[in-house]
Amino acid sequence: MRPAEHLDEAVDSVVTALRPGTDQDWQTQAGTLDWTCRLTAEHAAHCMQTYAIQLASQASTHYVAFYSRALEAATPADVLELLKASGRLLSAAVRAAKPTDLGFHPFGMADAEATAGMGCIELLVHAHDIAAGLGLPFEPPPDICAWILARMFPNRHAELDSFRTAEVDPWTALRWATGRVLVPGLSTVGSDWRWHCAPLADPT
């Protein structure tokens, strides 16, 4: 499966999980965050739009001057639509990119594969926050979580491989790598965790 298809599948899983909550108040707190569910969704949408712009512009030293939010009158259903559309925009940018295209990120210059991975991380961890705030279940596709862990957190993936891998499901492993949960026997990941967005191999 290609990175853009991973992202599309992640988007579909989030939309399916959150759609039943669009009749609720999205001004409620998103899980353990200080943000509301609405602001969390807007943040994730903005991140995916930003990553698409970074990859398309191939900016090498900075973020392109850009910011977006949902319109003030937007309903929860509108915000969810924005989240879905932002994911589709990012997957389109990933599909259109050449192997040598790179976009600036403070953690490193990101290729198309990593750009999709960054979008998946923002989307999934924040969908979990929103779902928790709305009292909804959320369990993203295990294969997507496993791919994200291997591509975006190679050191964490190596640590997990040396551990009792069968005892840690991919979604728990991804939340561990992003500092969301503790897993006994594995190192503690703090709030200063980083992903690896530079190409894993020379694109040329």
Side-chain angles (χ1 to χ4, degrees):
M1 185 180 289
R2 297 180 178 179
E5 293 168 337
H6 284 310
L7 180 58
D8 284 339
E9 187 175 346
V11 170
D12 290 342
S13 72
V14 167
V15 172
T16 298
L18 298 184
R19 184 177 288 123
T22 52
D23 60 347
Q24 298 187 45
D25 181 6
W26 281 37
Q27 294 300 331
T28 191
Q29 181 180 348
T32 59
L33 299 183
D34 293 330
W35 295 345
T36 65
C37 291
R38 176 184 173 120
L39 182 57
T40 303
E42 289 179 338
H43 166 76
H46 169 72
C47 285
M48 290 188 290
Q49 294 167 38
T50 296
Y51 298 154
I53 287 175
Q54 291 302 110
L55 185 63
S57 69
Q58 298 183 57
S60 61
T61 61
H62 60 280
Y63 279 122
V64 173
F66 167 78
Y67 188 72
S68 78
R69 290 279 297 274
L71 295 176
E72 185 175 349
T75 66
D78 294 332
V79 175
L80 184 60
E81 182 181 45
L82 173 63
L83 191 63
K84 178 180 179 179
S86 300
R88 296 292 188 247
L89 177 66
L90 179 54
S91 66
V94 168
R95 285 188 172 90
K98 299 187 295 292
T100 54
D101 287 351
L102 301 172
F104 169 82
H105 187 277
F107 293 173
M109 295 297 292
D111 61 3
E113 183 180 51
T115 299
M118 294 190 300
C120 284
I121 293 168
E122 293 287 353
L123 181 65
L124 296 182
V125 298
H126 287 312
H128 181 260
D129 296 326
I130 298 167
L134 300 176
L136 299 170
F138 178 63
E139 189 78 24
D143 60 324
I144 305 301
C145 298
W147 170 74
I148 296 169
L149 188 71
R151 173 58 185 86
M152 304 303 295
F153 302 95
N155 291 340
R156 300 296 180 193
H157 184 256
E159 180 180 352
L160 192 65
D161 272 352
S162 66
F163 188 62
R164 300 179 299 275
T165 307
E167 297 182 12
V168 184
D169 67 89
W171 176 223
T172 298
L174 179 56
R175 287 185 290 152
W176 160 70
T178 54
R180 296 303 186 100
V181 296
L182 298 174
V183 176
L186 294 176
S187 60
T188 300
V189 180
S191 59
D192 58 346
W193 58 269
R194 297 166 67 97
W195 54 49
H196 180 93
C197 51
L200 293 179
D202 186 345
T204 60

